[in-house]
């Protein structure tokens, strides 16, 4: 009997000792928070390593820059006062993202984990030559990296964006955080997680990604990049005001402002958006498709300059509403011109509207929708409602 | 074709793993059943009680017939005693004073604490002697009510020159002289010795073959103080003490009820103790009472030192880490349990009363829940529930998050954890074990320390060791927080013994977490639930409250509904009268 | 001694067992399989239809079982179609339960191995799962029923919470238009949905344990309706987030749905581990019920002690679970099991009921 218990103990011990298969201590991990993908362009470090003999056969398709968090040391020893950077970037040039990640393991002992990856930034040159599905395949397949990671494009070098941050800040978090300012500025496109890209990429429809540019020391959101459905490549950009038009067109803004000049007085007029909504209606008449865009917005005066400094009565407000409406419509037209005639990409959801309301027609045109879309007439109707003018009841002189 | 079939044939390693998968549980089951069998061989758990071998025999049993006596303060001890004394032949008092005195001295040969006081009764100057034990007997009362009247007795013997007949003498003494309410008679020297040892005074009178047992015991009993282990802010400030009669009286004093049954048993083979089984006759389920009685009779040990012995000897599954019988020092708690249809066991010599059957929910309930408003009661209960789960799972979750699932932690927290853990040399399991074990040692040490030092020790241990360990880089500050929260949480469990169970299981959970991460924690939870689901306390499912047959049992589980809604007793216990009111 | 039939479960417990049996690994994959077949977003209609359909087949099985109160399918089948045929059918049903158990366990192994415990050998994951299940099942149907009941508030509460949080990335446009291509897609999606949604089989032995077998219809309707809500939620939310084109690219669409959003205002930022945790609980319940059914079948058909059957089936389940060599093999296995279920539990009970009626077998 005793022997039996001994066996049992032995068995349990074996189990306990052989355990902890997949455990890895958190402090030994390298937390990836952002990735920048660029066309192959080796960094100094890489070149030096290469010169020393660290190379392997590859076609140099692109450079992956990974942003890692540098732990700030234990709490007790923090008093040294040295404000060191709390991130560092490593670039690896290779043929695939996966290879680049694994190649990093030759350079650092820490295992990269992607659970906390926040952003993927793709450089313009790369996005124009390699399809987005190829670039994101690794990220959408991996079990660490979540589909909630946000995608951006960068006009210029994506790597530079990851270099810029105020001391003590991490670029990846800053970029992610800027998306939270959507209620302050209508020139920010909504954050696009990987989740929302999978569908369009598979169905070959066009969409836009926020563009971020870098000046060398700071980064800025500047318009959007248009990914063409058919090719899966970056087709072009919409600048800031075109993005503003796109926001008005789709009603996806959460706030922000609309600035224009009153043609009568030549003075500035600033309208703060409280809410906006847009409906795109698809009409089919005798096989001819046309769209009707109806935009509605409510808001308030943020700044009103007027020579008279008069009381903002109903008549003035109505007049200024008209001015603002015209301006918004102008923005929308500018955007439409760009996407219909320059880029040939439906990124404003016209196709969705047609699909929902006229599924039969949609089936016929969906193959070559982006081209078809370019020739479709669109009418606009913008309705602004200025609800209030804040604490000051007159315009400023 | 062949390759088609081949694809479905498992490889050798799979077969081997299959063998392992079946082998382990079989081994475990065999080991378990071996333990049970050997317990059955050694102990009396499996033996159906028949009263032999000195097992607990109900004191009220006569000729096999059981008498449920309602426990009255002045029990009919006299009848019982005389019945028994006649049953013992052989060594009896003869009525010859010197012989009898010698006889008593012989049987109490090596008991130095027995005192003798010789005296002469009244005007007749009859020789008599009082036996008593110093310290057990109320000496004041003895002097005043026994010695003085006996010595001064002149009037009862007026007109007598010689001693009257023994019967007449007895009548005179009992009816006219002694001022004591409890009197017994016996001719059995052993019995009289027993009584003396228990605090009574025995009066031996020349010429009388029967001795008088005068009940004047006054043992050193503790006053019913507030129970230490179950402090309450609101509620009666009284707890049971070590005297059985006080305790039963305390229960009686909870309120007038003629249905409160108290059945007395004697347990212990060598040192016999009185044990009282109590329940409310028109509420408690008869099967339950019968089952408890049966199990009490299976108790077969030298000495039942504390009610913990009873608890462990009659519970359903002694291999389970969970206590299946609740112990309490509070009369109000016992009464509440009795009114729910439960049964309680009181043991002489301990303030801890056992309540059975127990359900898991009871371990997290406190009488205060009912005394306070129901919002407060409900919230506190949920809080305790949370605390109990925290104390069970917090370190395990810490280990699994730190070592297996860094993705589940919010990014900023993850960064600060990484920073704080830089330089910690141990894996999280070892780190957690170091801290948990030292906390457990501290706690144990704090219990043993003299009262004035105890709290200081706790502070020294908790603060300084924690701080120093962090400074030294042995553990991370986050872990110190986790361990502290865990320790505090486990104190919020109202039942101390249940808290111990949680403490013990916590370590098991940590091992599961260290091997399988979150999956291991889930599996541990499932294992624990499976065990609890299968566990029964006197036929009542242990987790009955969590997964009740009737939703109404949930009214008094985590949420304590207003008293107005608690119209029925818990259905699980199957009380005779299911309605509390209305 | 055969399985203790003196165990009794209440009607509520029976409903809960039924729901727990139906809700399993399917929720994680159904959005993909259904959309793959249909090609449009109308699959949610198929889910509702399937739920109703399952109620009908469940009702037939219930009626059949009601004719033989206190007896399980394995006991009464021989009264309907004779001993040898009955034995064969009984064995095939028991084997079905066994393979369901294997399938569920393999799914747990795949998901855990991929998302939670990369690197832990699969046999270790399975062993722990199997041992706990064995321990529970040794407690009889009552323990299983109570376990289901215990898990419900935890699992459903978290499921609901996580589903609500996922509304953040929900886009109704992905579900529109409704029935744009007529009933064709709905019809096409019916089959894969039915494969995961076969519900009646647990009634084959559940009815025998019920204390009020008269109320079995409640069990059928209640069980299927509740399960349907969960499947519906999974399908609708997944399509709403990924769109039909995105869903078909995901191996475990529902898990990826939960992985697709971060919440910064709660204790946890991400929920997929939590979801996997509760879904493992849920699958554990399904596994135990199927395991119990298989062991009960073997025990009653071959007259072996129930507990011995539990032990004996344990390695068998593991070996069957390890037969698929890849994830595609696993999905194929799921398909085959579903087909099998469609025949045995969708079609066969009706003739059985008719035969029983004419042969006057049972009450």
């Amino acid at each position: 009997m005793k022997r039996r218990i001994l066996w049992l103990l032995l068995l349990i011990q074996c189990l306990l000792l052989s355990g902890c298969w997949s455990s890895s201590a958190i402090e030994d991990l390298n937390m990836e928070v952002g990735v920048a993908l660029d066309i192959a362009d080796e960094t100094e470090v890489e070149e030096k390593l290469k010169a020393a003999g660290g190379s392997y056969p590859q076609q140099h398709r692109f450079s992956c820059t990974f942003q890692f968090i540098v732990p700030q040391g234990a709490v007790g020893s923090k008093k040294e006062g040295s404000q060191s950077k709390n991130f560092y970037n490593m670039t690896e040039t290779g043929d695939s993202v996966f290879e680049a990640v694994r190649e990093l393991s030759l350079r650092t002992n820490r295992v990269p984990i992607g659970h906390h990856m926040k952003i993927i930034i793709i450089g313009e040159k790369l996005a124009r030559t390699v399809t987005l599905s190829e670039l994101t395949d690794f990220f959408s397949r991996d079990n660490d990296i979540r589909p909630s990671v946000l995608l951006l494009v960068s006009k210029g070098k994506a790597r530079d964006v990851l270099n810029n941050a105020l001391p003590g800040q991490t670029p990846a978090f800053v970029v992610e955080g800027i998306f939270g300012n959507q209620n302050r500025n209508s020139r920010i496109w909504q954050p696009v997680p990987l989740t929302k890209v999978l569908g369009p990429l598979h169905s070959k429809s066009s969409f836009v990604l926020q563009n971020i540019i870098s000046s060398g020391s700071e980064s800025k959101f500047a318009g959007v990049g248009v990914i063409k459905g058919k090719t899966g490549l970056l087709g072009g950009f919409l600048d800031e005001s075109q993005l503003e038009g796109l926001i008005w067109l789709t009603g996806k803004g959460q706030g922000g402002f609309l600035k224009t000049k009153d043609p009568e007085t030549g003075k500035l007029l600033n309208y703060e958006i409280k809410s906006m909504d847009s409906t795109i209606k698809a009409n089919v008449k005798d096989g001819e498709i046309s769209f009707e865009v109806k935009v509605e917005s409510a808001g308030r005066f943020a700044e009103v300059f007027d020579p008279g400094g008069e009381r903002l009565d109903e008549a003035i407000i109505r007049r200024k509403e008209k001015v603002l409406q015209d301006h918004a419509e102008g923005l929308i037209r500018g955007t439409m011109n760009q996407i219909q005639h320059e880029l040939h990409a439906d990124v404003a959801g016209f196709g969705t509207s047609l699909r929902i309301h006229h599924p039969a027609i949609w089936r016929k045109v969906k193959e070559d929708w982006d081209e078809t879309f370019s020739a479709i007439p669109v009418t606009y109707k913008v309705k602004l409602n200025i609800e209030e003018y804040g604490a000051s009841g007159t315009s400023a002189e | 074709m062949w390759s088609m079939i081949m694809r479905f044939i498992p490889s050798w390693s799979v077969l081997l793993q299959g063998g392992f998968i079946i082998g382990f549980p079989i081994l475990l089951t065999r080991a378990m059943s071996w333990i049970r069998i050997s317990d059955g061989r050694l102990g009396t758990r499996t033996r159906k009680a028949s009263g032999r071998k000195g097992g607990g025999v109900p004191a009220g049993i006569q000729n096999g017939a059981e008498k449920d006596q309602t426990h009255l303060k002045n029990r009919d001890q006299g009848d019982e005693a005389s019945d028994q004394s006649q049953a013992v032949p052989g060594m009896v008092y003869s009525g010859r004073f010197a012989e009898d005195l010698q006889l008593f001295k012989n049987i109490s040969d090596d008991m130095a604490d027995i005192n003798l006081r010789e005296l002469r009764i009244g005007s007749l100057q009859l020789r008599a002697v009082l036996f008593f034990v110093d310290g057990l007997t109320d000496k004041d009362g003895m002097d005043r009510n026994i010695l003085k009247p006996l010595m001064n007795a002149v009037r009862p013997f007026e007109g007598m020159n010689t001693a009257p007949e023994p019967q007449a003498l007895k009548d005179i003494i009992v009816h006219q002289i002694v001022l004591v309410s409890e009197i017994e008679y016996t001719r059995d020297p052993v019995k009289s010795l027993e009584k003396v040892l228990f605090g009574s005074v025995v009066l031996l009178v020349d010429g009388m073959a029967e001795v008088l047992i005068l009940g004047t015991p006054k043992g050193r009993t503790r006053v019913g103080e507030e129970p230490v282990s179950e402090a309450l802010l609101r509620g009666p400030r009284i707890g049971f003490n070590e005297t059985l009669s006080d305790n039963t009286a305390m229960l009686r004093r909870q309120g007038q009820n003629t249905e409160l049954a108290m059945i007395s048993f004697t347990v212990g083979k060598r040192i016999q103790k009185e044990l009282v089984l109590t329940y409310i006759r028109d509420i408690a389920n008869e099967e339950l009472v019968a089952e408890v009685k049966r199990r009490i009779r299976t108790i077969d040990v030298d000495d039942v030192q504390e009610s913990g012995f009873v608890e462990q000897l009659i519970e359903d599954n002694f291999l389970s880490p969970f206590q299946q019988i609740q112990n309490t020092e509070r009369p109000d708690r016992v009464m509440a349990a009795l009114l729910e249809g439960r049964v309680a066991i009181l043991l002489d010599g301990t303030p801890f009363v056992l309540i059975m059957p127990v359900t898991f929910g009871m371990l997290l309930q406190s009488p205060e829940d009912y005394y306070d408003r129901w919002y407060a009661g409900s919230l506190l209960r949920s809080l305790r529930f949370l605390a109990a789960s925290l104390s069970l799972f917090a370190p395990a979750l810490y280990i699994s998050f730190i070592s297996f699932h860094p993705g589940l932690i919010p990014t900023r927290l993850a960064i600060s954890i990484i920073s704080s853990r830089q330089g910690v040399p141990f894996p999280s399991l070892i780190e957690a074990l170091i801290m948990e074990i030292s906390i457990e040692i501290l706690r144990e040490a704090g219990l043993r320390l003299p009262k004035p030092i105890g709290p200081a020790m706790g502070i020294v241990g908790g603060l300084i060791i924690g701080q120093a360990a962090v400074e030294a880089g042995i553990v991370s500050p986050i872990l110190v927080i986790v361990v502290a929260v865990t320790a505090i949480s486990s104190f919020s469990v109202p039942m101390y013994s249940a808290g111990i169970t949680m403490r013990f299981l916590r370590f098991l959970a940590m091992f599961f977490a260290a091997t399988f991460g979150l999956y291991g924690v889930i599996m541990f939870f499932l294992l624990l639930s499976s065990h609890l689901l299968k566990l029964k306390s006197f036929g009542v499912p242990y987790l009955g409250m969590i997964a009740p047959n009737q939703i109404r049992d949930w009214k008094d589980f985590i949420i304590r509904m207003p008293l107005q809604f608690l119209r029925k007793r818990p259905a699980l216990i199957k009380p005779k009268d299911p309605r509390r009111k209305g | 001694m055969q399985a203790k039939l003196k165990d009794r479960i209440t009607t509520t417990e029976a409903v809960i067992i039924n729901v727990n049996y139906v809700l399993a690994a399917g929720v994680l994959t159904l959005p993909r399989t259904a959309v793959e077949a249909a090609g449009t977003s109308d699959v949610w209609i198929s889910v509702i239809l399937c739920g109703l359909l399952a109620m009908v087949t469940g009702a037939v099985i219930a009626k059949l079982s009601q004719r033989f109160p206190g007896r399980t399918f394995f006991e009464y089948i021989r009264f309907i179609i004779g001993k040898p045929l009955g034995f064969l059918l009984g064995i095939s049903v028991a084997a079905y339960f066994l393979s369901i158990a294997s399938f569920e366990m393999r799914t747990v192994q795949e998901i855990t191995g991929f998302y939670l415990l990369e690197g832990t050998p699969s046999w270790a994951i399975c062993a722990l799962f199997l041992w706990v299940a064995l321990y529970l099942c040794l407690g009889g149907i009552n323990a299983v029923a109570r376990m289901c009941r215990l898990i419900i508030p935890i699992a459903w509460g978290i499921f609901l919470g996580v589903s609500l949080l996922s509304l953040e990335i929900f886009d109704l446009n992905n579900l529109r238009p409704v029935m744009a291509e007529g009933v064709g897609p709905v019809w096409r999606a019916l089959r894969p949905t039915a494969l995961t949604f076969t519900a009646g089989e647990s009634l084959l032995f559940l009815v025998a344990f019920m204390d009020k077998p008269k109320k079995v219809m409640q069990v059928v309707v209640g069980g299927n309706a509740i399960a349907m809500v969960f499947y519906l939620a999974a399908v609708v939310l997944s399509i709403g987030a990924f769109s039909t084109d995105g869903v078909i690219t995901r191996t475990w669409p529902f898990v990826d749905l939960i992985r697709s959003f971060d919440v910064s205002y709660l204790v946890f930022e991400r929920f997929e581990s939590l979801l996997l945790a509760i879904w493992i609980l849920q699958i554990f319940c399904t596994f135990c019920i199927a395991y119990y059914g298989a062991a009960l079948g073997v025990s009653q058909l071959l007259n072996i002690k129930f507990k011995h059957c539990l032990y004996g089936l344990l390695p068998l389940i593991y070996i069957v679970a390890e037969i698929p060599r890849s994830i595609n093999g696993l999905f194929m296995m799921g398909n085959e099991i579903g087909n099998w279920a469609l025949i045995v539990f969708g079609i066969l009970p009706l003739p059985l009921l008719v035969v029983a009626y004419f042969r006057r077998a049972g009450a």
Side-chain angles (χ1 to χ4, degrees), chain A residues 44-55:
Chain A
E44 252 176 73
V45 181
E46 275 185 291
E47 274 165 7
K48 277 182 192 161
L49 286 173
K50 207 172 184 181
S55 69

Side-chain angles (χ1 to χ4, degrees), chain B residues 36-47 298 300 313:
Chain B
R36 273 173 210 284
I37 288 167
S38 60
D39 164 66
R41 222 175 20 233
L42 300 172
T44 46
R45 185 180 298 274
T46 49
R47 186 171 301 141
T298 63
D300 176 21
L313 288 171

Side-chain angles (χ1 to χ4, degrees), chain C residues 73-357:
Chain C
F73 177 79
F74 308 108
E75 288 170 318
Y76 68 64
I77 183 66
R78 72 180 85 140
F79 299 121
I80 304 179
I81 53 172
K83 228 171 183 179
L85 264 180
F87 182 78
L88 276 180
L89 193 57
I91 280 293
S92 83
V93 169
Y96 167 78
F97 280 123
L98 180 102
S99 46
I100 276 279
S102 297
F103 175 73
E104 300 294 345
M105 198 200 65
R106 179 65 188 263
T107 312
V108 167
Q109 179 200 320
E110 291 292 336
I111 295 182
T112 315
F114 185 65
Y115 287 114
L116 289 175
L117 289 173
E118 210 179 355
T120 302
S122 56
W123 61 263
I125 294 174
C126 293
L128 193 60
F129 192 85
L130 286 172
W131 291 340
V132 177
L134 170 71
Y135 183 63
L136 178 69
C137 284
L138 283 174
I141 189 83
N142 255 320
V144 176
R146 278 171 195 282
M147 179 57 97
C148 294
R149 241 178 358 183
L150 179 71
I151 281 173
I152 277 183
I154 308 169
W156 294 9
I158 292 181
F159 184 91
L160 195 75
V162 168
S163 296
L164 284 179
L165 285 171
S166 81
L167 286 180
E168 193 184 336
I169 53 167
F170 180 77
D171 185 0
L172 191 63
N173 279 343
N174 286 336
L175 283 167
R176 292 163 73 194
V178 177
M179 303 267 270
E181 299 182 22
V183 290
V186 176
W187 180 250
R188 286 200 297 274
L190 219 49
R191 216 179 93 87
T193 314
L195 292 185
T196 43
F197 212 120
T198 44
E201 58 263 34
S202 62
L203 291 171
L204 288 178
F205 60 89
L206 267 191
V207 181
F209 292 103
M210 284 176 62
D211 58 353
K212 290 174 198 138
K214 288 244 162 72
K215 290 190 174 173
V216 68
M217 279 306 150
Q218 277 183 17
V219 178
V220 174
V221 175
N224 279 316
I226 296 172
M228 195 173 78
V229 171
F230 280 85
Y231 277 103
L232 204 59
V235 167
V236 166
L237 290 172
S238 302
I239 296 176
F242 287 105
S243 80
T244 47
D245 292 297
V247 163
I248 53 177
T249 67
R250 306 285 83 199
T251 312
W252 312 101
F254 196 70
V255 182
D256 272 2
L257 167 72
I258 306 307
R259 273 156 53 90
S260 295
F261 57 90
D262 287 0
V263 178
S264 50
Y265 46 83
L266 292 178
V267 181
F268 294 117
E269 241 177 14
R270 300 114 207 283
F271 294 90
E272 92 269 14
S273 301
L274 217 59
L275 177 86
L276 287 178
I278 58 143
W279 220 248
I280 289 171
L281 294 182
Q282 195 69 50
I283 292 181
F284 180 79
C285 279
T286 308
F287 176 85
C288 283
I289 299 164
Y291 179 30
Y292 186 88
L296 190 73
V298 174
S299 144
Q300 290 182 338
L301 288 168
L302 302 178
N303 242 336
I304 311 175
K305 261 190 183 177
F306 177 67
K307 287 190 177 173
H308 293 180
C309 289
L310 280 178
Y311 283 105
L313 288 184
L314 209 56
L316 210 58
I317 288 177
Y318 177 72
I319 290 166
V320 172
E322 294 304 313
I323 285 177
R325 296 283 158 101
S326 63
I327 189 106
N328 273 339
L330 175 65
F331 292 144
M332 219 161 74
M333 177 179 170
N335 257 343
E336 292 307 319
I337 295 175
N339 285 334
W340 189 355
L342 279 189
I343 296 168
V344 177
F345 306 112
I347 300 167
L348 219 53
L350 197 61
L352 282 182
L353 187 63
V354 174
V355 171
Y357 180 78

Side-chain angles (χ1 to χ4, degrees), chain A residues 109-138:
Chain A
N109 61 334
R110 296 164 151 244
V111 184
I113 52 152
H115 291 285
H116 295 279
M117 173 118 48
K118 300 291 182 198
I119 52 166
I120 300 171
I121 307 174
I122 301 162
E124 183 191 352
K125 279 185 194 153
L126 185 68
R128 282 189 192 273
T129 50
V130 183
T131 65
L132 199 64
S133 356
E134 277 182 34
L135 291 175
T136 55
D137 188 52
F138 166 69

Side-chain angles (χ1 to χ4, degrees), chain B residues 59 75 86 106 144 151-152 221 317 373 409 411 422 472 478-479 489:
Chain B
R75 283 185 308 202
Q86 268 141 34
N106 285 347
R144 203 167 45 244
M151 290 175 169
N152 293 349
T221 65
N317 184 353
R373 300 190 58 70
I409 313 171
T411 307
Q422 288 302 316
I478 306 272
L479 176 73
S489 298

Side-chain angles (χ1 to χ4, degrees), chain A residues 341-352:
Chain A
H341 304 125
E342 299 287 325
L343 298 169
H344 302 284
D346 167 28
V347 294
F350 289 96
T352 312

Side-chain angles (χ1 to χ4, degrees), chain A residues 196-210:
Chain A
K196 292 288 180 195
V197 168
L198 294 169
L201 278 180
H202 195 258
S203 65
K204 300 208 174 300
S205 47
S206 307
F207 58 95
V208 294
L209 295 176
Q210 180 68 48

